[in-house]
Amino acid sequence: MLVMGMMVVWLGCGVERKYEDYHLPPDWDLTLTQQNHPHGFRQTKCFYCHIKANIHEVDRIGHALFPSAKPTVDAQGESSCSTCHGTNGN
Ligand code: HEC
Ligand code: HEC
């Protein structure tokens, strides 16, 4: 694990790379609301603010859908977000 982590740091050399962390509640159902997403609510261009390579990198809340998040986003892009995160007010 430590070796893997060191490799990531090494490969990321020269690139400012920080995984997104919003201190999600441990029991979060993944649904975006006006309350938990005030700065992104009703927005549609998710990748404008969320860098694809920096999301779904760390399994912090142990949600059952975590393992499928990256493959789904890779395959279906922005149109997939609502599958797990709801309509975001749209
Ligand atoms: C204008 C920038 C912006 C856009 C566009 C945006 N977001 Fe966000 N997102 C944020 C910010 C900032 C946060 C941190 C919470 C906050 O302050 O609203 C966040 C947090 C999140 C979170 C973590 C949970 C939370 O509420 O903290 C998820 C999931 C998320 N956004 C998904 C999306 C999806 C899906 C879309 C597209 C439908 C999207 N975002 C569009 C800025 C944006
Ligand atoms: C298959 C379900 C699934 C899909 C599809 C999905 N997400 Fe997520 N997303 C999750 C889960 C589960 C988490 C919680 C990860 C954790 O434990 O921190 C999460 C967390 C996030 C976060 C918080 C930061 C982080 O990495 O934990 C953002 C931002 C986010 N998603 C954005 C998006 C955007 C944008 C899309 C569409 C391009 C998307 N998600 C599609 C399941 C999904």
Side-chain angles (χ1 to χ4, degrees):
M1 230 17 227
L2 181 64
V3 175
M4 288 254 310
M6 286 169 67
M7 275 185 67
V8 170
V9 170
W10 180 69
L11 288 169
C13 195
V15 182
E16 191 64 40
R17 188 153 196 233
K18 200 169 186 301
Y19 299 144
E20 293 189 31
D21 183 3
Y22 300 105
H23 308 283
L24 305 171
D27 59 346
W28 190 39
D29 69 356
L30 306 183
T31 307
L32 296 170
T33 65
Q34 180 99 62
Q35 283 70 40
N36 66 20
H37 199 211
H39 299 98
F41 204 61
R42 297 212 165 84
Q43 302 270 352
T44 51
K45 301 274 171 245
C46 315
F47 290 152
Y48 184 79
C49 298
H50 300 290
I51 309 299
K52 193 171 109 172
N54 291 349
I55 57 173
H56 308 135
E57 285 292 339
V58 185
D59 185 355
R60 296 190 183 91
I61 61 172
H63 196 282
L65 288 172
F66 181 82
S68 53
K70 248 191 144 62
T72 305
V73 170
D74 281 341
Q76 299 166 35
E78 272 181 348
S79 65
S80 72
C81 312
S82 59
T83 322
C84 296
H85 295 298
T87 63
N88 195 33
N90 298 299

